[in-house]
Amino acid sequence: MGGQAEEKQRQKPVKHICAGLLAHVDAGKTTLSEHILYASGSIRKMGRVDDKDTFLDNHELERARGITIFSKQAVFALGEKQFTLLDTPGHVDFSAEMERTLQILDYAVLIISGTDGVQGHTETLWKLLKRYRIPVFLFVNKMDQPETDREKLLEELKSRLDDRCVYFGKDQRPETFLENVAVCEEETLEQYLKNGTVTDEELCRLIAGRSIFPCYFGSALKETGTDELLQGMKQYMDCPQYGNVFGARVFKISRDDQGQRLTWMKVTGGVLKVKMSLPGGKEESGREEKVNQIRIYSGAKYGTVKEAEAGMICAVTGLTAPRAGAGMGMEADSELPVLEPVLTYQIKLPEDTDARQMLAKLRLLEEEEPQLHIRWEEELQEIQAQLMGEVQTEVLKAVIRERFHISVDFGAGKIVYKETISDRVEGVGHFEPLRHYAEVHLLLEPGEPGSGMQFAADCSEDILDRNWQRLIMTHLEEKAHRGVLVGAEITDMKITLVSGKAHLKHTEGGDFRQATYRAVRQGLMQAQSVLLEPYYSFRLE
């Protein structure tokens, strides 16, 4: 009987919940993460930012600067619920790393400094959390500091973020708490007036649906209010429902100490198993890669497992094709990021460094940080990168020196422009030197602002074989095409393959690359081009 009971216990499904910590820089996020891990029994000793011994900020650069630069995870349990805690960068220069992480979160804990209140970057984070529809818990930190006023701060949260921010502290009358919750939704108010209470199940539903936002106040450094937050996470964060069909979303690429590529993903359906074959790049290509190892990281250390079920976050070895934002199985690719760098910098290399070899090395960094947009500028014979600001340039210098043992410098930043079109045109590209032939017809149409590049095919297989069509679509998607005004990258445009021709004897694969590029350029030359300038949204206080 005892053995059967143990078997049933083992078969009981684990509730996996992915929670992310977000904050404006210096709000005390790392200190709070240390307390959460310590209080849940995940670590034996709490580290301090000042002592440079925190569990998650374990990279030398992070400890030297006292800020989070790379998103990292830790695993801990609260009762029957298994949590993966993702710590994200708070500095605006590393916003891209933070935004990639948002796309795999079930819940977010937004930390706000009680001494500063809602800051500019806090509002940016709030807008992103709304865009990605992530339920949010708020923790107002540093309440041990003088002149912090809970009532005033709660009013600020309601006015600056959302009026459905509700104080969840235990030091209030139950009736007051229930009334504050009930007025956030009409259906809940009706049930409250009828029954005189709001159940925990109802609270979980309201929080998951972003109808209310629980607020906690305390001090991570003095360990006050943090236990209430943990109790709230245990009580009100619930595991999403997952299907049985395999799906996963890639959110990060990194490399381990041995230089091995790690593909970080959240399993969103079914089960991921070792030696399972996954599509390499576009599924139509037919190329597949096998999962060699599944790692579950907690801080800098990891354990290996034979399979990862839905809700788990893991790092996989053996895959070379997937990029950050890629969907696998039934999962679609992620949306384009909201936050983008608006400055281009020349990367200055030492005189004895081969620029072409260095370009290949920098491409590895671009895998890990796609927003770098590493580019070889043929006319100027220089490598360029897009960066958020000064702190990121300093960190990138240090990473290049550490990884490749080369000291680089950066030129002055230049504004990143983009181009689009305002009318609908057809571009035609021919490539027909001796014993070669390819012809491509593309329809270029303006898209909605912020929609990025979209590609489609609307061509009969009687006109052009399916294999050639696939090849053309690959060439459309493989590079950032340049506009004809200032040579800036094109965006907010839909390009549709409408026709093409191949020769039975003389057409080779590379012919369609040339014809495709020429069709894009010929279409742009005919169209009414528009120069797009970047702009910052800012608040001055």
Side-chain angles (χ1 to χ4, degrees):
M1 287 294 288
Q4 288 179 344
E6 285 176 14
E7 185 63 29
K8 282 184 180 178
Q9 183 68 28
R10 280 198 296 272
Q11 291 175 353
K12 189 176 180 181
V14 178
K15 291 186 176 181
H16 294 285
I17 298 170
C18 180
L21 294 181
L22 295 91
H24 184 97
V25 70
D26 289 335
K29 178 173 54 60
T30 302
T31 306
L32 179 63
S33 70
E34 288 292 308
H35 182 78
I36 288 173
L37 296 175
Y38 177 73
S40 62
S42 181
I43 58 176
R44 293 181 180 180
K45 176 182 174 291
M46 279 194 291
R48 290 279 304 274
V49 174
D50 293 344
D51 296 338
K52 302 180 180 181
D53 62 350
T54 55
F55 184 71
L56 289 175
D57 284 354
N58 46 47
H59 194 282
E60 283 182 22
L61 289 170
E62 293 175 313
R63 289 183 168 173
R65 289 180 171 268
I67 60 171
T68 302
I69 296 171
F70 311 101
S71 63
K72 285 179 291 308
Q73 71 177 58
V75 179
F76 67 94
L78 292 175
E80 64 177 15
K81 296 176 180 177
Q82 190 76 22
F83 284 83
T84 301
L85 187 74
L86 277 156
D87 188 21
T88 66
H91 198 287
V92 69
D93 276 19
F94 307 104
S95 297
E97 177 93 0
M98 173 274 300
E99 189 177 353
R100 281 194 294 276
T101 306
L102 291 187
Q103 305 193 26
I104 49 105
L105 294 184
D106 301 319
Y107 293 86
V109 178
L110 180 62
I111 298 107
I112 293 164
S113 168
T115 55
D116 300 309
V118 176
Q119 296 170 277
H121 191 52
T122 313
E123 290 185 297
T124 301
L125 292 170
W126 190 259
K127 288 172 186 172
L128 288 170
L129 290 165
K130 183 178 181 180
R131 172 190 165 94
Y132 293 112
R133 300 174 291 280
I134 300 170
V136 186
F137 284 58
L138 295 103
F139 183 75
V140 183
N141 195 20
K142 302 186 180 181
M143 292 301 292
D144 56 316
Q145 298 293 314
E147 298 181 14
T148 49
D149 186 315
R150 191 182 74 201
E151 291 303 320
K152 283 184 180 178
L153 285 162
L154 187 59
E155 281 306 311
E156 186 181 9
L157 298 181
K158 288 174 177 287
S159 63
R160 295 274 296 273
L161 301 182
D162 197 295
D163 61 5
R164 294 168 297 173
C165 290
V166 178
Y167 177 49
F168 265 58
K170 301 295 184 186
D171 59 339
Q172 58 182 323
R173 291 171 58 242
E175 297 81 6
T176 305
F177 170 66
L178 292 174
E179 286 170 11
N180 290 336
V181 166
V183 296
C184 292
E185 188 195 68
E186 196 172 321
E187 183 185 330
T188 306
L189 182 58
E190 287 177 10
Q191 289 296 318
Y192 175 67
L193 293 173
K194 181 180 176 182
N195 304 322
T197 190
V198 180
T199 64
D200 277 4
E201 289 77 10
E202 185 72 0
L203 282 168
C204 288
R205 181 188 70 80
L206 290 168
I207 294 167
R210 288 179 51 87
S211 294
I212 61 171
F213 303 98
C215 299
Y216 298 87
F217 292 77
S219 168
L221 190 62
K222 297 294 174 67
E223 300 175 45
T224 58
T226 48
D227 288 339
E228 281 190 359
L229 172 65
L230 271 174
Q231 182 57 37
M233 291 170 67
K234 178 181 177 181
Q235 197 167 350
Y236 302 123
M237 288 187 180
D238 215 352
C239 177
Q241 295 294 313
Y242 295 108
N244 295 321
V245 179
F246 172 73
R249 174 166 287 174
V250 177
F251 69 97
K252 187 169 82 165
I253 304 297
S254 69
R255 281 171 174 77
D256 64 14
D257 294 338
Q258 282 72 47
Q260 194 166 200
R261 189 185 199 263
L262 299 177
T263 304
W264 295 76
M265 62 180 75
K266 178 184 180 181
V267 182
T268 56
V271 178
L272 175 71
K273 298 181 178 181
V274 172
K275 299 305 176 188
M276 186 171 170
S277 292
L278 294 175
K282 293 289 172 188
E283 290 190 36
E284 291 87 351
S285 68
R287 187 165 65 90
E288 292 194 332
E289 298 178 315
K290 282 191 176 178
V291 173
N292 289 339
Q293 195 179 56
I294 301 174
R295 301 179 181 182
I296 307 297
Y297 273 83
S298 196
K301 296 180 180 179
Y302 68 87
T304 58
V305 294
K306 291 184 178 178
E307 59 182 46
E309 58 192 26
M312 292 177 69
I313 290 178
C314 56
V316 170
T317 66
L319 306 183
T320 62
R323 298 291 183 262
M328 295 190 159
M330 57 88 180
E331 192 69 52
D333 288 352
S334 301
E335 301 174 41
L336 287 170
V338 174
L339 304 176
E340 285 193 78
V342 296
L343 292 171
T344 296
Y345 291 83
Q346 175 199 356
I347 298 179
K348 296 180 177 179
L349 306 177
E351 287 185 10
D352 58 343
T353 304
D354 185 300
R356 298 284 181 175
Q357 288 183 3
M358 191 63 198
L359 184 64
K361 292 176 179 177
L362 290 172
R363 292 274 181 228
L364 298 177
L365 290 183
E366 188 182 30
E367 277 191 350
E368 300 165 29
E369 178 47 87
Q371 294 292 70
L372 284 177
H373 298 292
I374 299 292
R375 191 172 77 192
W376 172 254
E377 194 63 59
E378 188 67 43
E379 292 176 11
L380 301 172
Q381 292 286 298
E382 67 183 34
I383 301 172
Q384 297 180 349
Q386 292 180 17
L387 299 166
M388 282 285 198
E390 192 176 335
V391 177
Q392 191 185 10
T393 62
E394 291 301 320
V395 167
L396 188 57
K397 279 185 200 175
V399 169
I400 292 170
R401 190 164 55 247
E402 177 190 294
R403 187 85 67 88
F404 308 124
H405 311 295
I406 296 172
S407 294
V408 303
D409 213 336
F410 289 89
K414 299 174 186 174
I415 296 294
V416 173
Y417 292 97
K418 291 194 178 183
E419 296 183 31
T420 189
I421 57 174
S422 60
D423 55 347
R424 192 168 178 262
V425 295
E426 183 175 333
V428 181
H430 291 93
F431 184 70
E432 44 186 320
L434 188 63
R435 297 190 185 87
H436 290 272
Y437 184 83
E439 184 179 322
V440 174
H441 294 243
L442 301 173
L443 180 65
L444 278 62
E445 301 171 277
E448 290 294 319
S451 61
M453 294 299 298
Q454 298 175 350
F455 304 99
D458 186 17
C459 178
S460 168
E461 290 184 36
D462 295 333
I463 296 173
L464 189 63
D465 187 79
R466 184 166 175 79
N467 285 334
W468 294 130
Q469 291 194 38
R470 284 177 178 166
L471 194 58
I472 292 167
M473 296 307 291
T474 298
H475 294 322
L476 281 173
E477 296 177 27
E478 72 187 357
K479 63 173 277 188
H481 299 277
R482 301 289 191 86
V484 295
L485 285 179
V486 297
E489 183 182 334
I490 59 170
T491 187
D492 299 345
M493 196 184 303
K494 183 178 181 182
I495 301 180
T496 307
L497 170 64
V498 291
S499 186
K501 286 182 185 176
H503 192 281
L504 282 172
K505 185 177 179 183
H506 295 310
T507 298
E508 295 179 3
D511 300 349
F512 271 107
R513 174 183 277 113
Q514 295 300 324
T516 301
Y517 292 174
R518 292 177 181 195
V520 171
R521 185 160 184 84
Q522 202 261 348
L524 292 172
M525 294 291 284
Q526 293 182 77
Q528 185 68 43
S529 292
V530 180
L531 187 66
L532 301 175
E533 296 183 272
Y535 65 91
Y536 281 111
S537 174
F538 69 93
R539 179 189 182 97
L540 184 65
E541 292 185 16

